[in-house]
Amino acid sequence: LAASGGGPFPLRGIMSQHQQVRRMGADTALRICADQVITGLPSALKELVENALDAGATRVDVVLEANGTKLVEVGDDGTGIPEADHAALAKRHATSKVRSFGDVVAVQSFGFRGEALSSLAALARVEVVTRCHGEPAAHLLTFAHDGTLASSQVAAREVGTCVRVRDLFCTFPVRAGELARRGKAEVRKAL
């Protein structure tokens, strides 16, 4: 590389002016980190199925629409999610399994980092329908891209949870296009 920025890899514009070091905005950091947890359809399905198994599910149903580009849905007959946990469900690092770093060595479940639903919410439109034993009805929860609970309404469902991920990578148009282009291959990898 030539110092002038010539040659096969021109450097014009890159570091030509000193840019002050500053923290990224929380939204930008969340989206970049989420893109590292959910790298494609296989990782999205893996995280959701592991959540179902961690909830004690004996049955897990998976539905894909348009090879997962329009809808990824994982339903289970697990324990459901108590209403007290609804608001924290898609928040970053929110987990029921770890309270301190020492708990990490004792975790006997698939997931514990509290990243799956937060990452999916940052990358897609996420709905959760859940009901615990003894509750008179289920709740349909929708989440904003930052993981905050956007709405909660009464719904019909048996005990368990169904997570619907719509328009995976809608916040990353290039990644969404790549998923659409490679949809069948992504489904094969996920299976």
Side-chain angles (χ1 to χ4, degrees), residues 114-133:
E115 292 290 330
L117 287 176
S118 171
S119 295
L120 286 166
L123 300 170
R125 292 180 241 299
V126 175
E127 298 175 347
V128 176
V129 183
T130 189
R131 181 178 179 189
C132 292
H133 182 72

Side-chain angles (χ1 to χ4, degrees), residues 92-161:
R92 222 169 150 219
H93 308 303
T95 180
S96 61
K97 299 168 185 119
V98 174
R99 293 291 171 251
S100 70
F101 189 77
D103 295 341
V104 172
V105 296
V107 170
Q108 296 185 352
S109 62
F110 291 106
F112 62 88
R113 295 167 297 138
E115 292 290 330
L117 287 176
S118 171
S119 295
L120 286 166
L123 300 170
R125 292 180 241 299
V126 175
E127 298 175 347
V128 176
V129 183
T130 189
R131 181 178 179 189
C132 292
H133 182 72
E135 291 182 337
H139 291 90
L140 168 61
L141 313 171
T142 57
F143 294 92
H145 290 304
D146 67 356
T148 57
L149 181 62
S151 70
S152 174
Q153 49 190 300
V154 174
R157 189 199 195 293
E158 67 278 0
V159 171
T161 301

Side-chain angles (χ1 to χ4, degrees), residues 1-17:
L1 293 175
S4 65
F9 304 104
L11 298 176
R12 283 187 277 287
I14 301 174
M15 301 301 288
S16 61
Q17 294 180 344

Side-chain angles (χ1 to χ4, degrees), residues 3-183:
S4 65
F9 304 104
L11 298 176
R12 283 187 277 287
I14 301 174
M15 301 301 288
S16 61
Q17 294 180 344
H18 176 72
Q19 297 289 322
Q20 182 181 4
V21 175
R22 56 185 163 223
R23 291 179 54 96
M24 289 184 277
D27 181 59
T28 300
L30 173 64
R31 288 174 62 189
I32 289 171
C33 291
D35 192 43
Q36 302 303 306
V37 174
I38 305 298
T39 58
L41 178 63
S43 58
L45 273 175
K46 172 191 163 294
E47 295 288 350
L48 294 174
V49 169
E50 286 179 353
N51 281 355
L53 295 174
D54 283 346
T58 58
R59 178 184 172 150
V60 178
D61 298 313
V62 175
V63 175
L64 301 177
E65 185 179 309
N67 295 318
T69 61
K70 294 292 174 201
L71 175 70
V72 176
E73 180 177 291
V74 176
D76 67 56
D77 64 351
T79 58
I81 302 161
E83 190 171 356
D85 292 340
H86 291 177
L89 190 58
K91 287 290 195 181
R92 222 169 150 219
H93 308 303
T95 180
S96 61
K97 299 168 185 119
V98 174
R99 293 291 171 251
S100 70
F101 189 77
D103 295 341
V104 172
V105 296
V107 170
Q108 296 185 352
S109 62
F110 291 106
F112 62 88
R113 295 167 297 138
E115 292 290 330
L117 287 176
S118 171
S119 295
L120 286 166
L123 300 170
R125 292 180 241 299
V126 175
E127 298 175 347
V128 176
V129 183
T130 189
R131 181 178 179 189
C132 292
H133 182 72
E135 291 182 337
H139 291 90
L140 168 61
L141 313 171
T142 57
F143 294 92
H145 290 304
D146 67 356
T148 57
L149 181 62
S151 70
S152 174
Q153 49 190 300
V154 174
R157 189 199 195 293
E158 67 278 0
V159 171
T161 301
C162 179
V163 179
R164 295 183 191 116
V165 178
R166 298 182 190 279
D167 304 319
L168 186 57
F169 296 118
C170 66
T171 59
F172 281 87
V174 172
R175 291 291 301 276
E178 183 67 14
L179 177 61
R181 188 179 69 75
R182 297 184 32 81

